[in-house]
Amino acid sequence: MTKATRDISALQATAVLVSTIIGVGVLPLPLFAVRAANTGGPLVTLLACVCALVGLLFVALLGMRFPDETIIQYSERLIGRWPARAVGLCVVVFFALLTSLTAREFGEVVVTSVLKQTPVEVTVIVMLMLAAISARNTMTTFAYIHFFYVPLLLVPVLLIIILSLKNAELLNLQPIWGNRPAGMTEGIVTIAALFQGSFVLTIVIPGMRKPAKALAVSLYSILIAGGLYVVIVIAVIGVFGAEETRGAAVADAGAGQGDVVASERA
Amino acid sequence: MPLFGNRTHLLSRKSRRNKRAAGNAGPSTGGDGGGAGGGRLDGRLDELLARATRVFGTDTTLTVRKFRIFGMFPAAMLYFPNMLDQNTLNETILKPAMSAPVGLDSSDWTAPELLDRLASEALWHSDCRGTVDFDALVEALLHGDTVLAAEGSETALVIGTRQIDKRGIDQPGTEQVIRGPREGFVEPLGPNIALIRYRLQAAELRTRQLTVGRKTRSKVVVCYMEGLTDPALLAEVDRRLDAIDIDAVLDSGYLEQFIEDNQWSPFPQVQYTERPDKVVANLLEGRVAILVDGSPLALIVPTVFNQFYQAVEDYTERFLQMSAIRMARLVALVFSLVFPAIYVSVISFNPELIPTEFAVAVAGGRAGVPWPAVVEVLIIEVSMEVLREATIRLPQQVGGALSIVGVLVIGQAAVAAGFASPITVVIIALTTIGSFATPAYNAALALRLLRFPLIIIAGIFGLYGVMIGLILIANHLLSLKSFGVPYLSPLVPANAEGMKDVLIRGPLWWMKRRPEFLKPKNRVRVGPDMTEPPETNGRGEDGGHPPSTAKE
């Protein structure tokens, strides 16, 4: 990225992480959770958050050791030049893949729900261009942009959840450890993978005013994003019940629709 | 003799300034001024007059009045009679110079020290200074001062006699208020600074003058508060002003275009105002004001977006009402930007979003309209812009007639003719009125401009397009900076103290500190005891009010 100016506060860094983590993963999340453990979905999600937090803490600790460099830069010092470049390439490809999946999925959402006759390519290209134009800014602006959109992301989702809770049935959530705890491990890993975006922390750290706060940043961001995920899963299972959630993708829409409105962020 | 005027732009700013300080690069000697350049005076009156003639050529307004000081020493007075008050000239300069005041013994006066003694012992004028530099003389003459030179004296006196007619201090035309001061800036610099200084009687108020414009030599004054304004900001303002090199600065608007951060952005990054009270308020927040001689509009930097929907009354009227009104203004602002675009996308792509009965009415209204909604809206919008521009240019007496013809007759006739649907006319009217509710004309202009791409993209992509357009605009706003201050402060980056003055206008006793994004050196604005209104302050426990310091 551009020359880091060290202007990102801990709050902004948290916003970057939260808004990166919460993304298209919201749509299949309840399905994943229910597939893994039926009514134990919320528990699985919670454990996945812990799992993701552990991973993120490692990344944060690593980044704090090299507060002036991005992962691409310090990996050269850690494992040598060429291996580092290979790893860097992997990171780039990984994010490209993640972006393309996200764009594709949101494009499909737009095509199914809003613009029914528009080819998905058009919506995806427009979205990618929007992201590309916004990404050309400095690191600080990048943080500002995320910070600006986080409330627009959280508030509608929370509103929808709160409004939907009147249809929720406490019984739907029991037993909380699920009827088939065996599949839990797999589910935890799957859902923890939805937190991959948090890897962006390695690029944000060099721009942070106080890199030492990276630990707190990762903790808070997982708390917010993971908390939202858990609440979404609770709401979906509470309203629809585990079987119905597993059976129909309709359930996704219940929790996902608010996100569609808000999720058209860069 | 070098042709300075044509080359100064090639020199670095520093060397130019040095030259100017050395009296080399005189103002009038530039380029077409002819070969009568700078240099020291040599004491010969004829030579000085001849050089003056060479500089000013055949100009007929320059007056040379020859006389003898105390009837003994030959002298001459040069001035432009239209730029000063001749009565003052006669009474305070000519009279004491021709007839020695009573009790003054001039027998031992000699030519070389003549003017110096004249200034200190005889002349009744406060603003006198001697100069040995010919270019300084020319500059002073052009400024409207009087030059007094005598045979045998190597210095000449420059007497500040400038008096330009100005219009009276009047209500500010573009920023009227119901409650608040009625004074607006006028064109000359002097009264404007007086208007600021009498409101802000603080020793910390500093003015710094510089000259911009190779030909117009416009005086530019930078006002700030010592010990409050961020020195880095001040240095940046100076740097940007110093870098300006053009021939004419006819209004502060010229300067704005040279000092703003992003010339390609539709959003203004410098605020202008003709209200001295607004300037004072901004100075006290830690901003810098820039005034230009000949312009009734002061520039204020740095500027953030929320200033454009704040009005003076927000602060002079009580906070509760004004918070509500400010939000109404914000709604109007959003209206003027997105309303037509949303209309177009709902009508053309998602009519299911409006209630069926109303949708039927809308469809009925649009039945005879030959074009798609986006074209219809664009046509009406463009005609609205034409009408609006026409009303601004028209003489006032005709303006009223045109707006009636334009708005009522054309609007009605367009609907009757099946040219546009009634609902479109309503939408456009609301939009236009909404854009008038924005206090800052230049910000309203920006939103007016952005409306058009938004309508077009709404016509192509519907609501999705509107979202994309809004996100692009928001991201652009987030990337903008005005003199290093993020444009959306204090919203992003967030500042709890600053938020009290964004959506609502918090009570004055809430806003204890100056905005942090301006990095003022002294942040305290309201005394620590002003936690609540005096009424409850004294009462203590018996009142039901807890201290209202809570953040919103």
Side-chain angles (χ1 to χ4, degrees):
Chain A
M1 278 249 174
T2 40
K3 198 103 174 100
T5 41
R6 295 218 162 272
D7 216 22
I8 301 176
S9 68
L11 196 63
Q12 286 161 3
T14 312
V16 171
L17 255 73
V18 168
S19 98
T20 313
I21 294 171
I22 302 174
V24 75
V26 172
L27 300 182
L29 167 71
L31 186 64
F32 289 160
V34 168
R35 267 193 199 148
N38 282 329
T39 54
L43 187 66
V44 172
T45 317
L46 190 67
L47 292 176
C49 291
V50 176
C51 178
L53 180 64
V54 172
L56 186 57
L57 286 181
F58 275 117
V59 171
L61 282 172
L62 192 61
M64 281 158 63
R65 290 205 173 184
F66 303 92
D68 296 324
E69 294 168 72
T70 65
I71 191 160
I72 309 282
Q73 289 162 329
Y74 61 69
S75 63
E76 282 192 14
R77 295 212 267 149
L78 286 178
I79 53 174
R81 196 161 193 181
W82 286 106
R85 289 196 177 171
V87 171
L89 192 70
C90 286
V91 172
V92 171
V93 169
F94 167 69
F95 269 99
L97 202 69
L98 215 60
T99 312
S100 61
L101 284 175
T102 310
R104 174 69 191 234
E105 224 160 317
F106 276 139
E108 294 283 1
V109 169
V110 170
V111 169
T112 7
S113 60
V114 195
L115 298 176
K116 297 199 169 82
Q117 283 156 8
T118 313
V120 69
E121 290 84 358
V122 176
T123 53
V124 167
I125 285 174
V126 169
M127 215 179 313
L128 286 181
M129 266 168 58
L130 177 64
I133 291 173
S134 307
R136 289 183 69 242
N137 289 305
T138 59
M139 200 65 190
T140 317
T141 310
F142 172 77
Y144 287 172
I145 289 175
H146 278 286
F147 186 76
F148 183 76
Y149 290 112
V150 162
L152 303 180
L153 190 70
L154 295 181
V155 172
V157 177
L158 288 177
L159 261 183
I160 289 180
I161 289 172
I162 290 170
L163 292 180
S164 69
L165 278 184
K166 67 171 183 226
N167 300 326
E169 189 79 47
L170 204 57
L171 208 61
N172 282 342
L173 292 164
Q174 290 165 347
I176 50 172
W177 51 84
N179 292 319
R180 191 170 54 90
M184 262 195 173
T185 338
E186 198 187 333
I188 289 173
V189 176
T190 315
I191 293 175
L194 294 179
F195 289 83
Q196 284 156 337
S198 57
F199 201 67
V200 76
L201 181 65
T202 54
I203 310 208
V204 174
I205 285 180
M208 279 177 66
R209 217 175 290 155
K210 292 180 194 135
K213 287 199 173 165
L215 272 184
V217 165
S218 35
L219 193 66
Y220 284 125
S221 52
I222 294 284
L223 211 63
I224 297 174
L228 189 82
Y229 274 13
V230 172
V231 175
I232 287 177
V233 173
I234 291 178
V236 169
I237 298 181
V239 172
F240 295 101
E243 279 312 306
E244 203 175 333
T245 309
R246 192 213 305 260
V250 181
D252 295 349
Q257 212 141 51
D259 197 53
V260 174
V261 181
S263 63
E264 313 202 347
R265 72 212 149 79
Chain B
M1 196 85 22
L3 299 171
F4 293 108
N6 291 343
R7 292 203 187 148
T8 35
H9 65 285
L10 298 175
L11 305 173
S12 76
R13 171 70 208 175
K14 203 168 180 185
S15 63
R16 255 195 296 143
R17 182 189 274 163
N18 290 343
K19 286 207 166 210
R20 201 175 292 163
N24 260 333
S28 61
T29 55
D32 34 0
R40 295 172 64 88
L41 304 173
D42 58 2
R44 287 180 298 160
L45 191 57
D46 293 343
E47 173 65 18
L48 189 145
L49 294 181
R51 281 167 77 179
T53 319
R54 273 203 299 273
V55 169
F56 292 105
T58 55
D59 187 89
T60 47
T61 51
L62 178 72
T63 306
V64 179
R65 169 76 158 87
K66 292 187 181 172
F67 65 103
R68 284 173 182 277
I69 294 174
F70 305 151
M72 292 187 291
F73 310 98
M77 202 163 66
L78 292 83
Y79 57 93
F80 282 104
N82 304 321
M83 300 180 73
L84 43 81
D85 179 21
Q86 290 208 342
N87 273 333
T88 323
L89 199 64
N90 297 343
E91 284 296 316
T92 63
I93 300 168
L94 208 51
K95 194 172 163 188
M98 285 172 87
S99 58
V102 186
L104 188 73
D105 178 22
S106 61
S107 54
D108 61 335
W109 287 33
T110 56
E113 57 174 3
L114 171 68
L115 287 179
D116 195 32
R117 293 192 65 170
L118 193 71
S120 50
E121 294 173 38
L123 288 190
W124 298 345
H125 200 94
S126 56
D127 181 9
C128 283
R129 60 186 190 277
T131 179
V132 295
D133 178 36
F134 182 73
D135 284 327
L137 289 189
V138 172
E139 194 168 346
L141 269 178
L142 289 168
H143 183 250
D145 296 340
T146 301
V147 168
L148 187 58
E151 181 69 42
S153 167
E154 288 187 2
T155 44
L157 272 188
V158 171
I159 305 157
T161 50
R162 179 188 218 207
Q163 189 171 24
I164 311 281
D165 278 342
K166 63 175 172 67
R167 66 186 169 95
I169 289 172
D170 206 358
Q171 278 227 32
T174 55
E175 293 163 89
Q176 304 232 356
V177 291
I178 293 168
R179 186 168 182 181
R182 300 278 193 271
E183 285 168 330
F185 283 134
V186 288
E187 278 76 8
L189 200 50
N192 291 351
I193 293 178
L195 282 175
I196 295 177
R197 207 176 259 288
Y198 97 77
R199 283 197 166 72
L200 184 56
Q201 296 176 8
E204 294 91 346
L205 173 63
R206 297 275 189 283
T207 56
R208 190 186 287 171
Q209 183 172 313
L210 51 151
T211 311
V212 185
R214 261 179 284 144
K215 290 294 176 208
T216 58
R217 314 286 302 155
S218 308
K219 305 254 176 307
V220 174
V221 166
V222 178
C223 300
Y224 62 98
M225 294 294 284
E226 182 76 47
L228 203 163
T229 312
D230 179 24
L233 166 67
L234 213 54
E236 181 63 20
V237 170
D238 277 349
R239 192 185 67 74
R240 292 190 190 184
L241 283 176
D242 275 350
I244 299 176
D245 183 22
I246 49 169
D247 59 345
V249 177
L250 299 179
D251 186 82
S252 55
Y254 283 60
L255 288 188
E256 171 181 353
Q257 295 168 52
F258 282 101
I259 60 174
E260 64 188 351
D261 290 59
N262 182 350
Q263 278 101 338
W264 293 97
S265 168
F267 291 96
Q269 299 131 60
V270 175
Q271 192 188 23
Y272 68 83
T273 180
E274 53 176 328
R275 303 190 57 93
D277 51 330
K278 207 161 163 179
V279 169
V280 169
N282 279 294
L283 286 175
L284 286 174
E285 286 199 329
R287 290 193 175 85
V288 173
I290 302 167
L291 288 89
V292 181
D293 202 7
S295 168
L297 300 167
L299 302 181
I300 295 170
V301 291
T303 299
V304 294
F305 185 72
N306 69 25
Q307 278 173 279
F308 290 117
Y309 60 81
Q310 295 171 344
V312 173
E313 276 158 330
D314 287 6
Y315 301 92
T316 53
E317 190 53 87
R318 299 176 59 240
F319 81 94
L320 206 59
Q321 295 95 318
M322 291 328 283
S323 296
I325 290 180
R326 178 178 283 183
M327 285 199 242
R329 229 180 274 141
L330 258 175
V331 170
L333 196 113
V334 176
F335 254 31
S336 72
L337 181 63
V338 299
F339 220 46
I342 288 185
Y343 170 69
V344 165
S345 49
V346 167
I347 291 289
S348 351
F349 290 91
N350 299 87
E352 73 272 9
L353 289 181
I354 38 182
T356 318
E357 294 87 358
F358 185 54
V360 170
V362 171
R366 294 206 67 239
V369 180
W371 18 63
V374 53
V375 178
E376 183 193 357
V377 168
L378 275 179
I379 289 177
I380 304 289
E381 279 279 12
V382 170
S383 5
M384 202 68 191
E385 292 297 317
V386 171
L387 276 176
R388 176 147 59 175
E389 189 60 21
T391 9
I392 296 175
R393 305 286 154 226
L394 269 180
Q396 268 183 358
Q397 295 87 333
V398 202
L402 180 107
S403 55
I404 292 172
V405 172
V407 176
L408 286 181
V409 180
I410 296 186
Q412 186 59 40
V415 171
F419 195 73
S421 73
I423 181 88
T424 310
V425 176
V426 171
I427 297 282
I428 305 300
L430 276 181
T431 313
T432 312
I433 293 170
S435 78
F436 285 136
T438 308
Y441 180 66
N442 47 355
L445 267 182
L447 297 180
R448 243 163 88 184
L449 179 72
L450 287 172
R451 200 157 75 213
F452 288 93
L454 218 51
I455 293 173
I456 293 172
I457 200 173
I460 301 173
F461 289 115
L463 286 173
Y464 176 65
V466 177
M467 270 322 277
I468 295 278
L470 288 180
I471 289 174
L472 271 181
I473 293 173
N475 286 2
H476 171 68
L477 283 174
L478 287 162
S479 71
L480 265 188
K481 284 196 166 146
S482 169
F483 284 80
V485 175
Y487 200 53
L488 285 191
S489 336
L491 195 65
V492 182
N495 174 263
E497 190 76 18
M499 295 271 206
K500 296 171 188 170
D501 200 14
V502 176
L503 286 182
I504 60 158
R505 198 279 279 172
L508 292 178
W509 69 91
W510 269 18
M511 301 189 279
K512 285 190 188 311
R513 293 166 171 277
R514 303 198 163 93
E516 190 176 334
F517 54 87
L518 296 170
K519 305 189 187 70
K521 282 162 75 185
N522 175 0
R523 294 212 45 213
V524 182
R525 175 149 64 182
V526 181
D529 295 337
M530 298 298 294
T531 45
E532 42 199 312
E535 178 83 359
T536 48
N537 211 4
R539 265 192 292 165
E541 281 86 339
D542 64 290
H545 279 286
S548 24
T549 42
K551 292 179 178 151
E552 82 261 36

